[in-house]
Amino acid sequence: MINAIFAARGLTIACVFAAALLVPPAAAQDATPLGPFTLRLGSTVSWDSNVFRVADAAADPQISRGISGKSDRFATTSLGMNFDKAYAQQRFSLELVQTVTRYEKFTSLDRSGLDHRGAWQWQLTPHISGALRTSSSQSLVSFEDARGAQRIVRTTTNRGLTVDGWLFGGWHLLAGTSEDKTGSSQTFLAAPDFTQTNQEFGLRYLSASQSSITVIRRLRRGSFASQPGDPTTGGFTVRESDAIGTWPASGKSTFNGRLTRIERRNENFPERDFSAVAGEFGYAWTPTGRLSLAFSATRTVIPFFAAGSTYRTDDAVALAPVWRVSERATVRMRASHQVSDFPGQAGAAAGPPRRDVLRSAEIGADFAPHPKVTIGATLRHEQRTSTDAALAFDATRVTVNATVRF
């Protein structure tokens, strides 16, 4: 059965390559864009040296099931449908993607899911516009966070309405309301499932040069789902203040930044209350038509109830150059360095405070032999050190993918 599955994935990629060979070169094709309705078929084959992100000295993660080794090969096949159409001043879009992932050895990680994303970008008057959006997606909780060999699939749904009211000149009044919900296939105490509603109000100034500054006040109210082994579930309130700016310094470079103040309060467990500052700084530079460079520095703050912590901060810097070798070929690279701390006194934790350092480097290439066909490959290496030696790991992943659109 496994061989048949991988043979099917190989056949999918072979079909994409065959399609690329059967059509004339891209330069000879009609440049007419795809219509409002498109189909997308994709296939990816990956090899991962350390699927469960365990330490070098750790035992094989699934030896109890008679499976030796930490590496595995897996394949993902996806079929997507896109609809994007403008009617007068209204624009409607819908995306449906069915994804199936199968592992060669670690079959307990096999999964399939249907993701969707829809939007109605509406225009009521020349001064009032907005968007109505809904989405649902599934993802595997990273084994960097969920230790062990148990698969945890998390489903995230969102629906919301935003309004943009143009006042005068470059001034805009912003408002929005939304609902977020997460659900997991297995209990994950570090990041419990929750449902929350969000309301936000803000003001934006947009200049003729496309520089902008936005100030937003956001209120989130929610509750955690009841989970076995965690008596502290209940309601919570989060207040956020955002300041966001964008400055196109020239035709070739742009700066952007965001500063967020977060205040979180929990009804049943005040020990998990916290206040923190998050933010990001980004710089994009395009010195030539074929070369671009992106730099980012970010601080992310999320609730994280593990190892005696109340929340988790990720301080990361990343550099990502992209080189368009030709109209059909692109080479991309990315290097990042992330330091994760786990502050708080929500419980007793033995030993020194936990700190993780994650370094990653990635190089990839994409080739488009035809406007509707893309072929790519990526090599990525990750290494994490930690004050807890059991959380350190080293992993390499190689991925080959092909996509065709109809």
Side-chain angles (χ1 to χ4, degrees):
M1 176 63 73
I2 293 298
N3 291 334
I5 291 171
F6 280 98
R9 303 304 179 276
L11 179 60
T12 301
I13 292 182
C15 289
V16 174
F17 275 92
L21 295 174
L22 289 174
V23 297
Q29 293 299 301
D30 186 351
T32 302
L34 295 172
F37 180 82
T38 60
L39 292 176
R40 184 178 69 254
L41 175 64
S43 187
T44 301
V45 176
S46 303
W47 175 83
D48 196 310
S49 67
N50 188 356
V51 173
F52 296 99
R53 300 299 186 260
V54 297
D56 291 341
D60 289 351
Q62 292 203 349
I63 193 66
S64 61
R65 300 179 60 220
I67 303 175
S68 61
K70 303 173 184 178
S71 65
D72 200 3
R73 185 178 68 165
F74 58 96
T76 299
T77 298
S78 63
L79 178 62
M81 183 277 288
N82 292 77
F83 176 80
D84 192 334
K85 181 67 174 179
Y87 296 93
Q89 293 182 311
Q90 318 302 313
R91 189 176 195 91
F92 298 91
S93 61
L94 175 65
E95 181 181 19
L96 300 173
V97 181
Q98 176 68 52
T99 304
V100 178
T101 299
R102 295 292 182 265
Y103 282 74
E104 187 173 15
K105 291 192 308 184
F106 303 134
T107 56
S108 61
L109 300 182
D110 292 352
R111 63 187 186 277
S112 62
L114 178 65
D115 297 348
H116 79 262
R117 182 170 64 248
W120 168 25
Q121 294 174 287
W122 52 269
Q123 183 87 35
L124 187 60
T125 72
H127 287 260
I128 302 176
S129 61
L132 182 64
R133 305 179 187 275
T134 180
S135 65
S136 177
S137 62
Q138 293 185 342
S139 61
L140 187 68
V141 175
S142 172
F143 289 107
E144 300 171 17
D145 298 325
R147 307 303 295 175
Q150 187 178 45
R151 182 192 73 165
I152 303 177
V153 178
R154 172 155 287 182
T155 301
T156 302
T157 59
N158 171 269
R159 55 185 179 182
L161 170 68
T162 59
V163 179
D164 184 326
W166 174 35
L167 301 176
F168 55 86
W171 292 96
H172 294 251
L173 186 64
L174 309 176
T177 181
S178 62
E179 181 183 62
D180 303 322
K181 185 176 182 179
T182 66
S184 302
S185 59
Q186 303 288 340
T187 299
F188 183 35
L189 293 179
D193 298 340
F194 66 88
T195 300
Q196 71 179 23
T197 58
N198 317 289
Q199 288 81 39
E200 62 181 44
F201 296 92
L203 190 66
R204 172 180 295 153
Y205 177 75
L206 178 63
S207 71
S209 65
Q210 298 305 301
S211 296
S212 68
I213 183 167
T214 305
V215 178
I216 294 178
R217 181 65 172 174
R218 187 177 297 111
L219 174 63
R220 307 183 190 273
R221 290 191 178 95
S223 61
F224 290 115
S226 177
Q227 295 192 115
D230 187 1
T232 62
T233 56
F236 61 86
T237 301
V238 183
R239 290 179 171 84
E240 297 178 355
S241 300
D242 261 353
I244 307 167
T246 300
W247 176 43
S250 69
K252 296 183 177 181
S253 63
T254 301
F255 294 89
N256 62 79
R258 176 181 58 84
L259 190 64
T260 304
R261 173 68 178 177
I262 304 170
E263 298 177 355
R264 187 181 184 93
R265 300 294 179 261
N266 296 273
E267 292 179 359
N268 299 336
F269 198 26
E271 291 86 351
R272 285 183 174 174
D273 295 351
F274 69 85
S275 299
V277 175
E280 63 179 291
F281 169 80
Y283 174 64
W285 181 43
T286 309
T288 71
R290 295 190 180 276
L291 181 64
S292 64
L293 182 69
F295 169 80
S296 65
T298 63
R299 162 166 279 208
T300 304
V301 179
I302 59 173
F304 197 83
F305 311 136
S309 66
T310 301
Y311 62 100
R312 167 179 170 171
T313 64
D314 294 330
D315 296 315
V317 293
L319 186 65
V322 177
W323 176 33
R324 289 187 62 198
V325 181
S326 68
E327 294 301 318
R328 304 186 197 179
T330 301
V331 176
R332 47 189 165 75
M333 293 176 283
R334 190 176 191 276
S336 66
H337 182 277
Q338 176 179 295
V339 177
S340 300
D341 289 302
F342 302 81
Q345 302 297 325
R354 176 181 168 186
R355 164 171 280 203
D356 301 339
V357 178
L358 177 65
R359 301 176 180 88
S360 66
E362 179 180 305
I363 184 169
D366 299 300
F367 179 59
H370 182 268
K372 299 180 182 180
V373 178
T374 303
I375 302 164
T378 303
L379 172 64
R380 178 180 176 85
H381 180 74
E382 296 178 332
Q383 183 180 51
R384 183 167 78 177
T385 58
S386 176
T387 52
D388 184 346
L391 301 179
F393 68 82
D394 192 284
T396 299
R397 177 176 291 186
V398 180
T399 302
V400 179
N401 65 277
T403 303
V404 60
R405 295 180 297 159
F406 304 95

